[in-house]
């Protein structure tokens, strides 16, 4: 019970925030829209009174021109009311469209900003994607409908109070009977709607899997493998299986809702029928005029419809309120990595070294260390290679060095400053990197390179210099629209590149920025050995007098580094120059000789085939 009260209080505060956002964006339109929703609440009362008066006057018509004029005036007023309802409704919808679009836009901006503010480590948690999906779904379902439902409920309350007053004049028990019969239906509706929202929440992971599987079947990147391995029917079957599981749950829920709605309508209809019978007896006893009967009958019908709509709006307020809660719960999530962060500014060029001391790192919810007791230093201007087999922890170590993953205090230092105390945005502005999972932006060639230094996006000369540095200087001439050519096949007139060309574009992006720390995290996987060596030589030339870190499981380029760190199972097992490590005849020498064997003529490949 206490939790329900807290939840209701939180939901009301979220409604208040949404209302403030609406009035902040369009204060005048918001006021007008609210008034336009309330104005129609008086029309049903006015129409009931006009109908009663018209019928009573018609019954008195005996050639009296004065009464005839009154009847004609009343009839005209009735039709004007109908026109007013349509006009007010159209104006209300127009203003609501403006509010809905602009508030929806602002909510999407907030989601995007929130996603951009989440630390990189947060994206390792699958539950984050569920919460993000719920927030996006809330915007897609238009959570401003919550405010609309509140206003419409207020408008219907005014209408209901008026109709209750009219029925109360006939007999005090009539409105009580009608309200009492409507209440169970409203409660049932609230219960089943709550279950629907809970069902939507619990099926969010399945929904994301359905969406992912469906996109696999439609994407260009997956088209080759799906056809080569005949995965089409398997993926389609998997998608259909999940779809049918979710469909079955929602169909059951729909049956519950239909039954609840039917029970509510039956109870209200029975009560309305009983009230109508009472009115007939009132007329038979001479207590009511024909006009009174018409007015009261119309009031019953209006009250019945209003109670049904009122229940639906209350249900919508509750259901959409849950979506509003999902949205603001995501927006309000706290993703602070450490309370120790002081946002100190550090100039990497002035740091004598980057120092790592007894670093251990664990992924969320995992008791096994990905990195264990890591200690080393990188001197200013030194070129370091980090090598090891796949899964050794190389990329994780790099992410820790850059502050992308949260690390304990006093484990990583830039100069004498603890990484936890450094302003990460300022740190990243001094770093250029190419990651193994680099992004293929489906934008122009200019964007793909210029994103490396967004402030110089319009600097054609600098972009061309970066392209030449990555060995892609002629690409600009080969593309139809030069730097403005769209890359990739996602958008119209896009031109696709090879895997190696995309990698060189990513490398050119890294070369755009005048960074103090350069990082290559296995960026040359799609390049042949000669191209790979060429890229690493260019990388070292451009990193002259700068600190550079190369990550690779292929050891050829590592020979170009000043020092090599060898990782195995999350530990540094060796470090030194290529020559020093070869003389140790340890892990590095074993890896190097294994890789070199593929390029030697005296290798006995039959042994390898037998092992395979």
């Amino acid at each position: 019970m206490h939790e329900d009260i807290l939840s209701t209080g939180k939901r009301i505060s979220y409604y208040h925030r949404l209302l403030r956002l609406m009035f902040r964006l369009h204060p005048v339109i918001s006021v007008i829209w609210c008034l336009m929703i309330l104005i129609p609440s008086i029309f049903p009362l006015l129409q009931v009174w006009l109908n009663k008066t018209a019928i009573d006057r018609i019954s008195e018509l005996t050639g009296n021109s004065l009464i005839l004029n009154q009847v004609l005036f009343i009839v005209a007023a009735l039709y004007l009311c109908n026109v007013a309802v349509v006009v007010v409704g159209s104006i209300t919808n127009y203003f609501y469209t403006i509010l809905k679009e602009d508030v929806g836009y602002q909510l999407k901006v907030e989601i995007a900003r929130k996603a951009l503010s989440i630390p990189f480590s947060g994206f390792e948690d699958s539950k984050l994607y569920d919460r993000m999906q719920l927030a996006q779904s809330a915007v897609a379902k238009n959570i401003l409908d919550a405010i609309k439902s509140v206003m419409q409920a207020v408008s219907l309350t005014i209408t209901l109070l008026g109709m209750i007053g009219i029925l109360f004049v006939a007999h005090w028990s009539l409105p009580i009977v009608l309200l009492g019969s409507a209440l169970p239906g409203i409660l049932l509706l609230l219960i089943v709607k709550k279950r629907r929202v809970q069902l939507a929440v619990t099926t969010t992971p399945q929904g994301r899997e359905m969406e992912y599987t469906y996109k696999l079947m439609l994407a260009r990147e997956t088209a080759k493998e799906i056809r080569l391995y005949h995965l089409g029917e398997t993926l389609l079957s998997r998608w259909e299986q999940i779809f049918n599981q979710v469909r079955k749950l929602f169909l059951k829920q729909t049956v519950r809702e239909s039954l609840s709605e039917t029970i509510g309508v039956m109870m209200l209809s029975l009560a309305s029928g009983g009230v109508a019978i009472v009115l007939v007896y009132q007329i038979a006893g001479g207590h009511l005029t024909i006009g009174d009967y018409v007015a009261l009958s119309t009031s019953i019908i209006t009250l019945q419809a209003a109670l049904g709509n009122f229940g639906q709006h209350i249900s919508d307020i509750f259901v959409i309120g849950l979506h509003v809660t999902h949205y603001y719960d995501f927006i309000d999530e706290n993703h602070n990595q450490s309370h120790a962060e002081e946002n100190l500014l550090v100039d990497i060029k002035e740091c004598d070294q980057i120092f790592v001391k007894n670093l251990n790192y664990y992924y969320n919810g995992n008791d096994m260390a990905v990195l264990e007791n890591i200690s080393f230093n990188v001197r200013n201007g030194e070129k370091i290679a980090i090598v090891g087999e796949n899964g050794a922890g190389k990329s994780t170590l790099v992410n820790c060095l850059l502050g992308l993953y949260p690390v304990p205090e006093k484990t990583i230092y830039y100069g004498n400053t603890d990484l936890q105390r450094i302003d990460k945005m300022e740190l990243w502005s001094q770093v250029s990197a190419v990651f193994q999972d680099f992004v293929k932006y489906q934008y122009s060639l200019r964007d793909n390179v210029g994103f490396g230094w967004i402030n110089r996006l319009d600097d054609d000369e600098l972009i061309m210099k970066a392209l030449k540095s990555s060995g892609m200087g002629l690409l600009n001439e080969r593309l139809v629209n030069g730097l403005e050519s769209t890359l990739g096949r996602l958008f119209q007139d896009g031109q696709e590149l090879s895997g190696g060309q995309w990698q060189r574009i990513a490398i050119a992006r890294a070369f755009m920025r005048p960074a103090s720390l350069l990082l290559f995290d296995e960026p040359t996987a799609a390049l042949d050995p000669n191209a790979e060596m060429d890229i690493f030589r260019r990388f070292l030339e451009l990193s002259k007098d700068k600190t550079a870190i190369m990550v690779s499981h292929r050891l050829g380029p590592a020979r170009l580094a000043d020092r090599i760190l060898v990782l195995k199972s999350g530990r540094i097992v060796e470090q030194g120059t290529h020559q020093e490590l070869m003389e140790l005849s340890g892990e590095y020498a074993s890896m190097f000789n294994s890789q070199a064997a593929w390029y030697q003529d005296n290798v006995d490949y039959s042994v390898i085939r037998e092992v395979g």
Side-chain angles (χ1 to χ4, degrees):
M1 181 68 179
H2 180 63
E3 290 182 357
D4 290 340
I5 293 173
L6 289 177
S7 178
T8 301
K10 182 169 70 170
R11 202 171 300 153
I12 291 172
S13 70
Y14 287 163
Y15 272 131
H16 186 231
R17 286 171 65 175
L18 190 60
L19 193 64
R20 284 205 320 266
L21 173 62
M22 184 181 80
F23 274 87
R24 179 171 61 82
L25 292 175
H26 293 293
V28 175
I29 290 178
S30 296
V31 170
I32 295 174
W33 175 70
C34 290
L35 291 175
M36 296 297 273
I37 287 182
L38 296 177
I39 287 173
S41 64
I42 64 172
F43 287 148
L45 303 174
L46 184 59
Q47 288 169 328
V48 167
W49 179 78
L50 289 172
N51 271 319
K52 173 192 178 311
T53 304
I55 291 172
D56 285 342
R57 287 290 182 269
I58 289 172
S59 65
E60 297 173 4
L61 275 176
T62 53
N64 190 323
S65 60
L66 180 61
I67 295 178
L68 176 63
N69 290 334
Q70 291 177 352
V71 170
L72 292 175
F73 176 79
I74 293 170
V75 171
L78 276 169
Y79 280 97
L80 284 175
C81 276
N82 293 335
V83 172
V85 168
V86 174
V87 171
V88 170
S90 298
I91 296 173
T92 303
N93 289 336
Y94 172 73
F95 284 139
Y96 182 65
T97 300
I98 295 175
L99 294 173
K100 179 179 68 175
E101 293 297 323
D102 291 354
V103 170
Y105 165 80
Q106 193 62 40
L107 295 175
K108 287 181 180 179
V109 169
E110 287 186 16
I111 288 180
R113 291 192 184 282
K114 181 63 181 182
L116 292 171
S117 71
I118 296 173
F120 177 71
S121 58
F123 289 90
E124 303 290 345
D125 180 9
S126 63
K127 292 181 180 179
L128 169 69
Y129 296 97
D130 290 340
R131 297 192 297 273
M132 196 182 301
Q133 180 71 41
L134 287 171
Q136 289 177 295
S137 297
V139 176
K141 293 177 186 299
N142 184 29
I143 57 177
L144 191 61
D145 279 345
I147 303 299
K148 182 180 180 181
S149 292
V150 170
M151 294 305 302
Q152 288 176 328
V154 172
S155 178
L156 281 171
T157 300
I158 296 172
T159 302
L160 286 170
L161 290 174
M163 295 302 169
I164 288 171
I166 292 173
L167 291 173
F168 192 83
V169 171
H171 197 280
W172 62 268
S173 64
L174 299 183
I176 294 176
V177 170
L178 288 172
L179 291 174
S181 65
L183 189 58
I186 293 174
L187 293 176
L188 283 172
L189 196 59
L190 287 174
I191 292 170
V192 294
K193 289 294 185 180
K194 181 179 180 181
R195 286 182 178 176
R196 173 170 286 274
V197 175
Q198 290 172 339
L199 183 59
V201 173
T202 55
T203 56
T204 295
Q206 292 96 314
R208 288 200 302 110
E209 186 177 352
M210 280 175 56
E211 184 179 0
Y212 169 75
T213 305
Y214 197 74
K215 285 182 177 179
L216 282 180
M217 295 184 285
L218 306 181
R220 179 184 183 278
E221 293 77 10
T222 56
K224 285 188 291 186
E225 278 206 16
I226 287 175
R227 282 153 180 77
L228 182 64
Y229 295 119
H230 305 292
L231 299 177
E233 288 302 319
T234 300
L235 291 174
L236 184 57
S237 176
R238 182 170 296 183
W239 179 82
E240 288 175 339
Q241 183 180 4
I242 302 170
F243 174 83
N244 286 328
Q245 289 173 353
V246 175
R247 174 180 175 272
K248 186 177 180 180
L249 293 173
F250 275 98
L251 282 178
K252 286 183 178 179
Q253 177 60 27
T254 301
V255 170
R256 294 192 194 100
E257 292 176 9
S258 298
L259 287 173
S260 299
E261 186 176 348
T262 301
I263 291 171
V265 170
M266 287 178 62
M267 292 182 67
L268 185 57
S269 297
L270 288 172
S272 300
V275 170
I277 292 172
V278 171
L279 293 180
V280 171
Y281 277 105
Q282 291 278 355
I283 292 176
H287 303 296
L288 296 176
T289 66
I290 298 297
D292 292 331
Y293 176 78
V294 170
L296 292 170
S297 297
T298 304
S299 298
I300 293 171
I301 295 171
T302 303
L303 185 63
Q304 185 177 4
L307 284 171
N309 290 333
F310 183 79
Q312 186 61 54
H313 288 311
I314 294 298
S315 172
D316 290 342
I317 291 169
F318 178 79
V319 171
I320 302 172
L322 293 175
H323 292 304
V324 174
T325 300
H326 293 151
Y327 175 82
Y328 280 113
D329 279 351
F330 173 71
I331 294 297
D332 292 344
E333 280 185 14
N334 185 5
H335 292 280
N336 290 335
Q337 294 189 25
S338 171
H339 297 294
E341 190 167 305
E342 299 175 24
N343 294 328
L344 298 180
L345 303 183
V346 170
D347 188 344
I348 296 178
K349 295 192 300 293
E350 301 301 322
C351 296
D352 59 341
Q353 65 176 345
I354 300 172
F355 182 62
V356 181
K357 180 181 179 182
N358 299 326
L359 172 63
N360 295 286
Y361 185 77
Y362 302 82
Y363 283 124
N364 289 335
N366 196 332
D367 295 332
M368 184 177 295
V370 183
L371 298 175
E372 191 172 355
N373 198 29
I374 298 290
S375 296
F376 68 94
N377 70 312
V378 182
R379 294 183 293 275
N380 192 339
E382 190 176 15
K383 313 299 182 281
I384 294 291
I386 302 176
V387 302
E389 296 177 348
N390 290 332
K394 304 184 297 297
S395 296
T396 302
L397 176 56
V398 167
N399 289 333
C400 290
L401 285 173
L402 295 180
L404 293 171
Y405 284 167
V407 297
E409 293 180 57
K410 300 179 181 179
T411 54
I412 299 179
Y413 290 84
Y414 280 74
N416 296 319
T417 307
D418 190 336
L419 176 61
Q420 289 287 32
R421 303 173 62 197
I422 295 175
D423 185 315
K424 300 302 185 297
M425 295 298 290
E426 177 62 25
L427 176 69
W428 296 334
S429 70
Q430 303 175 61
V431 177
S432 274
V434 184
F435 298 103
Q436 55 182 319
D437 53 350
F438 62 88
V439 182
K440 299 178 182 178
Y441 294 102
Q442 305 288 299
Y443 298 138
S444 67
L445 175 59
R446 175 188 301 280
D447 290 337
N448 268 276
V449 180
F451 279 0
W453 194 2
I454 196 66
N455 294 333
R456 302 291 290 275
L457 186 61
D458 296 324
D459 192 332
D460 291 12
E461 183 178 349
L462 187 60
I463 292 174
M464 288 305 303
K465 182 180 178 182
L467 283 168
K468 290 176 182 177
S469 297
S470 68
M472 294 290 283
L474 297 178
L475 180 63
N476 177 57
E477 300 174 6
R478 295 172 184 168
L479 296 175
V480 176
N481 296 316
L483 292 178
E484 310 309 324
S485 300
T486 301
L487 304 184
R489 293 294 187 189
L490 189 58
F491 302 120
Q492 186 175 359
D493 298 328
Q495 301 176 63
E496 189 55 271
L497 304 180
S498 68
Q501 287 176 315
W502 274 114
Q503 283 198 314
R504 286 183 179 269
I505 291 294
I507 292 166
R509 185 158 61 243
F511 287 165
M512 270 289 290
R513 180 184 289 183
S516 301
L517 173 62
L518 278 74
L519 170 68
F520 264 30
D521 182 6
E522 303 204 55
T524 56
L527 301 179
D528 60 70
N530 289 333
E532 180 183 40
M533 190 61 70
D534 174 60
I535 286 295
F536 273 105
R537 290 188 187 279
R538 292 173 185 269
F539 172 70
L540 290 174
E541 288 174 7
L542 289 167
S543 63
K544 187 178 181 181
D545 300 326
K546 298 178 181 180
T547 304
I549 299 175
M550 301 178 289
V551 177
S552 180
H553 66 277
R554 300 202 301 213
L555 304 187
R559 302 178 63 174
L560 303 173
D562 299 325
R563 188 155 47 98
I564 302 169
L565 306 180
V566 184
L567 260 66
K568 183 176 182 179
S569 301
R571 288 173 169 267
I572 295 179
V573 294
E574 295 173 356
Q575 60 177 303
T577 65
H578 170 75
Q579 189 62 38
E580 291 169 347
L581 294 176
M582 291 300 293
E583 291 174 359
L584 282 175
S585 298
E587 184 70 23
Y588 177 85
S590 176
M591 292 171 56
F592 187 87
N593 289 330
S594 296
Q595 293 184 19
W598 286 104
Y599 303 99
Q600 296 174 359
D601 294 331
N602 59 349
V603 175
D604 185 359
Y605 289 99
S606 63
V607 176
I608 299 175
R609 293 191 189 99
E610 290 174 6
V611 173

